[in-house]
Amino acid sequence: MPIKPPDRDGRTMSDAGRAGRPSRTARGRPRPAANGRARGGGGSRSGRTALAARPAGWRWRLRTTLDLIRANPTGRVALKIFIAVAGALVVTVGIALIPLPGPGWLIVIAGLAIWAVEFHWARRLLGFTRRHVHAWTRWATTRSLPVRFLLGSVGLVFVAVVLWLSLKYSLGIDLVAQLLHYLATT
């Protein structure tokens, strides 16, 4: 039986099942080798460098990129200004959309998440918001079906009233008066 040459990681096909791809856990981290040592460790046989053993994923790449930008004083200031402006734009759009039916609050929270990349106060506020939204969701989902239906109905009535008031006072369109006039004439 011929012996297969090892792949670039120093493993043969029988070691990994798929050549060139280390097995990964559900969260994307490399699994330790069968002998208890992590793959790519300091052994000279593997031929892997510390650079090749780095974690992969978009969060890691984003964090590394932001760290490289922050390493330069000019980059640090430019990043802070960019994050401040981008977060302000997203929060402003979200606040403008709050009275309308749709994801206004979700957009505000997204803008807060953008600010949280660079500002500690936004990170704390985002954590506070996240905790309270999770607590509200847990509370609402543990209620009976009629209570959840009542909560949903109150939410829809609130959105309808806010939409009616915003159309009436910002655009001058009174939907209720037009509906009553339509019903009276037909």
Side-chain angles (χ1 to χ4, degrees), residues 58-143:
W58 68 270
R59 286 184 180 177
W60 181 83
R61 285 191 297 272
L62 179 65
R63 189 176 304 125
T64 303
T65 303
L66 290 175
D67 288 341
L68 285 172
I69 293 170
R70 288 181 187 121
N72 181 349
T74 306
R76 184 174 29 253
V77 171
L79 179 66
K80 202 171 269 287
I81 291 170
F82 175 77
I83 293 294
V85 170
L89 286 173
V90 173
V91 167
T92 304
V93 168
I95 288 173
L97 292 177
I98 286 174
L100 302 175
W105 282 110
L106 189 63
I107 294 173
V108 169
I109 292 171
L112 196 58
I114 291 172
W115 276 337
V117 169
E118 199 59 32
F119 301 107
H120 185 67
W121 62 267
R123 204 170 304 128
R124 285 193 324 258
L125 185 58
L126 186 63
F128 173 83
T129 305
R130 192 176 286 156
R131 279 191 310 274
H132 282 78
V133 166
H134 284 279
W136 165 256
T137 305
R138 253 191 327 269
W139 180 85
T141 55
T142 59
R143 303 298 116 191

Side-chain angles (χ1 to χ4, degrees), residues 140 143-156:
R143 303 298 116 191
S144 65
L145 188 60
V147 172
R148 286 188 281 171
F149 181 74
L150 180 66
L151 288 171
S153 299
V154 167
L156 287 175

